[in-house]
Amino acid sequence: MTMKKTIAEHMYNILIESGRDSVWYGDLDEIHECANRSGMYDKPGDHHPLKINNRVLSALDKSHLFRKGYIKHVGRPARNYTIKKSE
């Protein structure tokens, strides 16, 4: 039996596949691909894009795979998650 991947594991794979090491609130393609792979659109409930963005980024916030930071966007801070380097 295979274990279901977490949202953070899906995002990690998406970033590695695209040769990137970070994602922020404005990376809509990556966020929604992660939501698709995670099955978020298969579940009943609110699928508003802003709610999906927040669900994905909140999952990264809780993950040991990512380090949270902020970038400046339109004069305000925006969440940014970078893959943690293995030590």
Side-chain angles (χ1 to χ4, degrees):
M1 181 172 150
T2 68
M3 290 186 56
K4 185 177 173 187
K5 288 185 179 178
T6 65
I7 293 169
E9 288 169 332
H10 282 294
M11 181 59 79
Y12 179 90
N13 290 338
I14 290 165
L15 293 177
I16 295 300
E17 290 164 16
S18 62
R20 298 182 53 195
D21 69 351
S22 67
V23 61
W24 74 287
Y25 197 79
D27 289 325
L28 302 180
D29 290 339
E30 290 79 6
I31 290 170
H32 291 284
E33 174 62 21
C34 183
N36 273 329
R37 290 187 190 188
S38 301
M40 285 185 181
Y41 294 114
D42 299 336
K43 298 174 183 167
D46 190 353
H47 297 142
H48 189 279
L50 294 177
K51 290 211 179 212
I52 294 290
N53 283 14
N54 281 323
R55 284 183 196 134
V56 169
L57 294 179
S58 292
L60 302 185
D61 207 25
K62 300 170 188 160
S63 171
H64 68 281
L65 296 172
F66 290 90
R67 184 180 73 248
K68 182 179 181 178
Y70 292 91
I71 61 171
K72 196 171 194 177
H73 176 67
V74 193
R76 299 185 340 203
R79 290 188 283 177
N80 181 63
Y81 295 89
T82 304
I83 294 172
K84 286 185 180 176
K85 306 290 184 214
S86 56
E87 299 171 5

